Amino acid sequence: MLEQKYDVLKQSLQALGDVVIAFSGGVDSTLLLKVALDTLGRDRVLAVTADSETYPREELRAAQRLAAELDARHEVIATSELAIAGYAENTPNRCYFCKKNLFVNILPLMERQGYHHLAFGLIADDMGEHRPGVKAAQEYRVRAPLQEADLYKAEIRELALHLGLSNWDKPSYACLSSRVVYGEEITLVKLRRIEESERYIRSLGIRQVRVRVHGEMARVEVEPDAMPLLLIQHDAVSRRLRELGFKWVAMDLGGYQSGSMNRILVTAVGDGAAK
């Protein structure tokens, strides 16, 4: 089954002829870039990374390193989500503005360099989640080859390992804005506070972490097997996050959950809303 999906992915990319990959450096977009390079060749593939306030410096450096490992043509463009009308207000469709801004900034680059297709790392798992960015992709005819091949995260990691990608087991990541509860304004100060808080917690040996912001409280999510380490270091973590500006620091006993902020959408509009 996985081999068949892999074949579908390669055929889909081959049919495009050329492609620009919106490249974040995560395992999904890295696999997409790798298969595009293998299928189309280096001269017909371009990786583009958006450098913005919501994208940590560590992630940018990792994306640059991965692109170099793959010998991919790679360009970094400067963008600003906070400059987008409606973004900082942090409504539930915030990601629509973000993805639209990304695509709008990449399209002129595509035209100048003679590319005809744009693709991003949407996967099959994402279709069951609250993903306003998908609407923007549809509006700008951005392809999602991994999702079109019905590839799920576990399968993507398996393929990435098989193809020798160094980040095959990299923890899932999302932009820093996703840490701020809907309805609370997103500011540069909050984004830097989140970035430094998560960097510090990772420095303790915890791979997957989210520091969710609820006003002046930080709600820390880590995977269940990392909770004992977080508890051992609770004094240091609390002290550091308070130094960064939080008044209260709490550990979520439910553990890390992708998209946990979306639970508020169900509460707000009833059981017929996002699941």
Side-chain angles (χ1 to χ4, degrees), residues 123-141:
I123 65 176
D125 308 66
D126 297 331
M127 302 311 292
E129 299 181 1
H130 177 66
R131 296 279 176 171
V134 174
K135 180 182 177 184
Q138 293 168 342
E139 290 177 353
Y140 287 88
R141 298 181 180 179

Side-chain angles (χ1 to χ4, degrees), residues 6-264:
Y6 183 37
D7 287 340
V8 169
L9 175 61
K10 291 188 289 186
Q11 291 166 10
S12 176
L13 289 165
Q14 185 66 51
L16 294 180
D18 64 68
V19 66
V20 171
I21 305 293
F23 181 61
S24 68
V27 63
D28 303 329
S29 62
T30 304
L31 177 68
L32 181 59
L33 177 58
K34 167 64 174 173
V35 179
L37 289 166
D38 290 348
T39 304
L40 296 170
R42 185 178 188 272
D43 293 338
R44 292 193 288 173
V45 178
L46 175 66
V48 177
T49 301
D51 180 14
S52 74
E53 310 96 337
T54 69
Y55 192 54
R57 301 301 86 194
E58 290 180 353
E59 292 295 312
L60 176 59
R61 290 192 290 269
Q64 293 171 318
R65 175 180 54 78
L66 286 161
E69 285 180 8
L70 296 176
D71 191 30
R73 297 179 62 241
H74 183 217
E75 295 204 20
V76 177
I77 61 173
T79 63
S80 174
E81 280 88 0
L82 293 182
I84 305 169
Y87 183 89
E89 287 85 345
N90 197 17
T91 60
N93 65 338
R94 179 197 66 237
C95 289
Y96 169 80
F97 298 112
C98 177
K99 281 293 187 289
K100 179 180 178 179
N101 182 64
L102 173 64
F103 302 146
V104 166
N105 277 277
I106 291 178
L107 288 173
L109 175 63
M110 290 175 54
E111 294 175 2
R112 289 196 301 270
Q113 300 202 23
Y115 287 88
H116 302 89
H117 303 281
L118 175 58
F120 75 133
L122 187 76
I123 65 176
D125 308 66
D126 297 331
M127 302 311 292
E129 299 181 1
H130 177 66
R131 296 279 176 171
V134 174
K135 180 182 177 184
Q138 293 168 342
E139 290 177 353
Y140 287 88
R141 298 181 180 179
V142 181
R143 297 289 297 273
L146 299 173
Q147 183 268 323
E148 293 167 12
D150 197 35
L151 282 163
Y152 288 82
K153 178 67 79 173
E155 296 171 319
I156 288 167
R157 291 196 187 281
E158 184 176 342
L159 282 175
L161 176 61
H162 175 73
L163 294 174
L165 299 183
S166 62
N167 67 339
W168 69 272
D169 64 343
K170 180 180 179 180
S172 297
Y173 190 78
C175 81
L176 295 172
S177 296
S178 68
R179 316 312 198 245
V180 184
V181 66
Y182 289 122
E184 181 176 332
E185 183 183 8
I186 298 170
T187 67
L188 185 59
V189 169
K190 290 176 185 176
L191 295 175
R192 295 289 78 83
R193 185 178 294 162
I194 296 164
E195 179 179 2
E196 180 57 26
S197 295
E198 293 187 355
R199 189 208 63 76
Y200 175 74
I201 294 171
R202 286 196 302 272
S203 76
L204 301 176
I206 295 174
R207 297 187 70 216
Q208 184 67 280
V209 58
R210 295 288 187 271
V211 174
R212 311 289 191 185
V213 177
H214 301 260
E216 296 179 302
M217 182 185 75
R219 175 170 60 87
V220 182
E221 294 181 7
V222 300
E223 293 180 325
D225 60 0
M227 287 182 181
L229 177 57
L230 184 63
L231 286 171
I232 290 171
Q233 298 284 351
H234 74 277
D235 279 340
V237 171
S238 179
R239 182 168 57 252
R240 180 58 182 144
L241 269 59
R242 288 170 187 265
E243 289 173 352
L244 290 169
F246 291 107
K247 287 190 176 180
W248 297 281
V249 181
M251 184 177 80
D252 191 326
L253 296 181
Y256 163 71
Q257 296 182 50
S258 175
S260 70
M261 287 300 201
N262 292 333
R263 283 180 289 179
I264 195 172

